[in-house]
Amino acid sequence: MQRDLSLEIVRVTEYAALASARWTGKGNKHSADEAATSAMRSIFSSIPFRGTVVIGEGEMDEAPMLYIGEPVGSGVGPEYDVAVDPLEGTDIVASGRNNALSVVAIAEKGNLLHAPDMYMEKLAVGPRLAGHLRLEDPLDVTVRKAAELLQKDVTELTVSILDRKRHADKILVLRTLGVKIHLLSDGDVAGAMATAFPETGIDLHVGSGGAPEGVLAAAALRCMGGEFQGRLLPEDDAEIARCLAMGITDPSKVLSMRDLVGESDIYFAATGVTTGDFLSGVKYQFGGRAETHSVVMRAETQTVRFIHCVHQTQVYLGSA
């Protein structure tokens, strides 16, 4: 995989973040998402590779841009799988809250899981817990084992989980154990990634969220030496049929990192749209300039780079 591809894909997330951040707090999540998607797609066309979107904005008949199966890139160069979430946290941006990201992951062709758009049960951890926990275990067992491995009291652990009614039982277990709970309004890619950044204080990420976001989170954690385990949660026969049609023969299987993102090299980039646990959001400056804060990572070397960049936004962005 080309070494300079990391700087190319971070341009993609930067431009998507800049485009969508202008809609922060304006109550219009659809325009924010459309702005991010359009900007991301336009920059992809300048990157010298042949990419195919495997995680995107939806099926071809659902999404006009960055749909699953859409070719991206300049059309010249090596072939890659591409996973995107132009705006992870549309509601976050619309309401002006924290932890919205623009996200891209690329891997050699055939390595990223074509995850159907449904819920996935998730367990995400950082490097210290990688390889030691099991998604199949009851939550209380997982929490106690994590505490033991981290040499902490259970009450010193911090666990992140989406604040959803479907998680009431899990939240009750966590409350009973006395752990500190970091409730997420949205954005479980950021929630999973936070486990690998010590400064966030997040030890585990649990609960269910979108399966496509699970693949993106797994890509990021592989670059950082963490671990992600997932299990699809089809709700009816139609969703089971969709799994089978996408080549997932056993929807109940616990998916490992290898199942989700393969074993080839991966590049992952994320740019903060609004300020979150490990990235600052877009900051507008005098004279049409704006500052972005991004992270770009590579699995092969486990290099993690943070990039602050100042852009002249009037060059390529219209008005919101």
Side-chain angles (χ1 to χ4, degrees):
M1 193 174 282
Q2 304 171 69
R3 183 180 298 273
D4 61 356
L5 204 52
S6 60
L7 292 179
E8 295 286 359
I9 66 166
V10 81
R11 286 198 306 122
V12 173
T13 58
E14 285 173 346
Y15 280 31
L18 286 164
S20 57
R22 305 183 76 179
W23 292 95
T24 300
K26 295 185 178 181
N28 190 338
K29 67 179 184 179
H30 298 295
S31 291
D33 190 47
E34 183 180 351
T37 304
S38 179
M40 179 174 280
R41 186 172 183 260
S42 69
I43 300 302
F44 261 133
S45 64
S46 68
I47 298 179
F49 79 125
R50 291 177 292 158
T52 301
V53 176
V54 298
I55 299 288
E57 291 291 276
E59 304 292 343
M60 185 185 299
D61 58 352
E62 299 172 352
M65 295 182 290
L66 297 180
Y67 56 81
I68 297 169
E70 180 178 0
V72 294
S74 67
V76 177
E79 293 186 85
Y80 295 114
D81 286 343
V82 179
V84 304
D85 196 340
L87 180 54
E88 208 257 330
T90 55
D91 286 326
I92 292 174
V93 170
S95 58
R97 291 180 278 115
N98 292 341
N99 261 337
L101 301 174
S102 175
V103 182
V104 169
I106 64 173
E108 293 174 15
K109 189 174 178 62
N111 278 274
L112 298 182
L113 178 73
H114 295 224
D117 189 8
M118 62 182 63
Y119 285 132
M120 173 187 280
E121 187 73 19
K122 304 175 180 183
L123 172 63
V125 299
R128 292 181 65 189
L129 294 175
H132 296 294
L133 303 178
R134 290 163 27 99
L135 181 64
E136 305 96 313
D137 287 341
L139 182 56
D140 62 326
V141 172
T142 298
V143 169
R144 293 182 192 281
K145 189 170 184 179
E148 181 181 352
L149 289 164
L150 295 174
Q151 298 182 329
K152 292 183 176 182
D153 188 85
V154 168
T155 59
E156 296 176 308
L157 282 186
T158 300
V159 179
S160 73
I161 186 170
L162 283 170
D163 188 7
R164 299 289 187 270
K165 289 182 179 180
R166 66 179 181 270
H167 290 150
D169 290 346
K170 285 183 170 57
I171 291 172
L172 178 60
V173 170
L174 296 171
R175 295 282 188 218
T176 302
L177 289 168
V179 305
K180 292 177 280 188
I181 302 177
H182 185 58
L183 288 174
L184 303 172
S185 60
D186 289 285
D188 67 341
V189 174
M193 289 176 63
T195 62
F197 291 104
E199 61 270 26
T200 69
I202 308 296
D203 299 301
L204 298 163
H205 176 73
V206 301
S208 60
E213 290 83 358
V215 176
L216 283 161
L221 287 169
R222 180 147 176 265
C223 292
M224 294 186 283
E227 184 181 17
F228 184 100
Q229 298 174 39
R231 178 167 48 203
L232 294 171
L233 299 172
E235 296 182 348
D236 51 36
D237 290 342
E239 289 197 347
I240 292 174
R242 192 172 186 189
C243 292
L244 298 175
M246 297 180 80
I248 302 167
T249 56
D250 181 7
S252 65
K253 175 186 175 181
V254 173
L255 300 168
S256 67
M257 296 283 275
R258 180 177 181 180
D259 296 318
L260 292 161
V261 295
E263 296 182 317
S264 74
D265 199 5
I266 295 172
Y267 277 110
F268 178 95
T271 300
V273 180
T274 62
T275 296
D277 293 324
F278 51 88
L279 289 175
S280 300
V282 174
K283 296 177 181 177
Y284 295 102
Q285 301 176 349
F286 177 77
R289 293 180 177 272
E291 181 181 348
T292 58
H293 188 205
S294 305
V295 61
V296 59
M297 305 180 279
R298 187 180 181 187
E300 185 175 284
T301 59
Q302 293 199 1
T303 304
V304 179
R305 291 184 173 92
F306 287 93
I307 299 174
H308 281 95
C309 187
V310 177
H311 310 259
Q312 178 51 259
T313 62
Q314 294 174 349
V315 172
Y316 52 88
L317 294 178
S319 59

